[in-house]
Amino acid sequence: MIPPSFTYTRATSVDEALALAAEHGEDAKYLAGGQSLLPLMKLRFAAPTVLIDLGRVTELSYVRDEGTYVAIGALTRHHDVANAELLLSDIPLLAHTAEAVGDPQIRHRGTIGGSVAHADAAADLPATLLALDATFVIRGEAGTRSVPAAEFFQGFFETALEPGELLTEIQVPKPAVPAAWSFQKFNKRAIDFAMVGVAVQGRSVALINMGSTPLRATAVEAALANGASVADAAALAAEGTNAGSDIHASKAYREHLARVLVRRALEEASSRS
């Protein structure tokens, strides 16, 4: 399908992008890699009248060691996240998840910030960043603020971003000691969104596509903290979730997948500890 007409603008800096957003108001939409927004526009689920292309805002593409955390620019491509030596050594869960996103074309165009801001509950990176207790740095006309991942995702494609605000950086804490991790997802084809997925970092467990937002598997985490076995903890994976039914899977099947994948992820993580 062909999207409705729109005005195209291009920013070369964060300040210019924010100024363009202020000028055009709520009808404007930021365009990062375009791997999430453009398909929605073609289906006419999204119809911004102004696109602000961020592709040349190079100041937002980086992976930096900041001591206790790793800072990742919002426009860093999935491919660069997957291959960053710092992440491979200090936060391998994030690098591995980025490598599992879509296909090479998507990984070379899509950005970590675009995936986060899009807030698709079926996407891989938002749930992984939730498991990693990441913090999102946001800039707007009023200044800069930081929002924990647990407060950022607020509903179906809804986030804490206010109109005109721009996600600029993701801050991911380094584990105090090397943490066991695993990423699992189940899909029909490797390039598809997950029917269900799970990210595990230590005793943090996050679920993909089990509700309108990425979710922490709090019942599993509590069981692990109380000394439950992997099997017993994984049996609680669907508690507190609200999986939907669609042409790909029923609610019951997604709940079954959550229990199976959480068990696999916990077992794999245990083998790494």
Side-chain angles (χ1 to χ4, degrees):
M1 294 180 66
I2 299 173
S5 62
F6 57 87
T7 298
Y8 173 85
T9 61
R10 176 184 289 163
T12 58
S13 69
V14 172
D15 289 341
E16 185 179 3
L18 293 175
L20 287 168
E23 175 185 348
H24 295 290
E26 294 189 18
D27 290 333
K29 190 81 171 177
Y30 293 120
L31 174 68
Q35 301 304 296
S36 299
L37 177 59
L38 292 182
L40 287 184
M41 291 176 63
K42 289 180 179 179
L43 292 170
R44 303 205 174 201
F45 292 152
T49 59
V50 179
L51 283 185
I52 303 170
D53 188 350
L54 304 174
R56 297 193 180 183
V57 185
T58 56
E59 65 190 274
L60 294 184
S61 180
Y62 56 83
V63 178
R64 297 175 183 160
D65 190 338
E66 297 291 347
T68 59
Y69 66 91
V70 176
I72 306 168
L75 291 182
T76 308
R77 309 285 181 185
H78 302 319
H79 170 82
D80 297 326
V81 173
N83 291 279
E85 290 296 333
L86 179 59
L87 293 174
L88 287 166
S89 62
D90 288 10
I91 312 175
L93 170 61
L94 183 54
H96 181 83
T97 302
E99 181 63 30
V101 172
D103 57 23
Q105 178 179 338
I106 289 173
R107 291 194 292 274
H108 280 83
R109 290 298 304 163
T111 65
I112 187 171
S115 180
V116 169
H118 187 58
D120 190 338
D124 299 334
L125 286 164
T128 293
L129 291 166
L130 181 62
L132 290 166
D133 292 319
T135 297
F136 303 126
V137 180
I138 297 167
R139 277 185 60 182
E141 286 191 296
T144 301
R145 62 193 181 100
S146 298
V147 180
E151 300 173 13
F152 185 82
F153 303 106
Q154 299 185 347
F156 188 61
F157 296 128
E158 294 181 357
T159 71
L161 286 165
E162 298 292 340
E165 288 189 323
L166 179 63
L167 174 64
T168 58
E169 185 175 274
I170 296 97
Q171 298 176 347
V172 187
K174 294 180 183 179
V177 295
W181 61 274
S182 178
F183 179 79
Q184 303 278 334
K185 67 176 177 179
F186 185 86
N187 44 19
K188 289 183 178 179
R189 300 175 301 167
I191 63 172
D192 291 339
F193 282 104
M195 290 185 194
V196 175
V198 58
V200 170
Q201 173 86 354
R203 289 183 175 176
S204 296
V205 182
L207 299 171
I208 300 167
N209 216 1
M210 287 298 292
S212 60
T213 67
L215 298 173
R216 289 287 284 268
T218 54
V220 175
E221 293 175 347
L224 291 173
N226 290 327
S229 68
V230 164
D232 289 343
L236 305 173
E239 289 196 11
T241 65
N242 187 26
S245 295
D246 54 31
I247 61 172
H248 302 295
S250 67
K251 176 182 176 70
Y253 186 56
R254 283 196 165 93
E255 291 177 345
H256 167 72
L257 283 176
R259 291 187 286 268
V260 171
L261 294 178
V262 167
R263 179 167 182 168
R264 289 179 183 175
L266 292 174
E267 288 174 345
E268 182 176 58
S270 296
S271 72
R272 289 192 168 110
S273 60

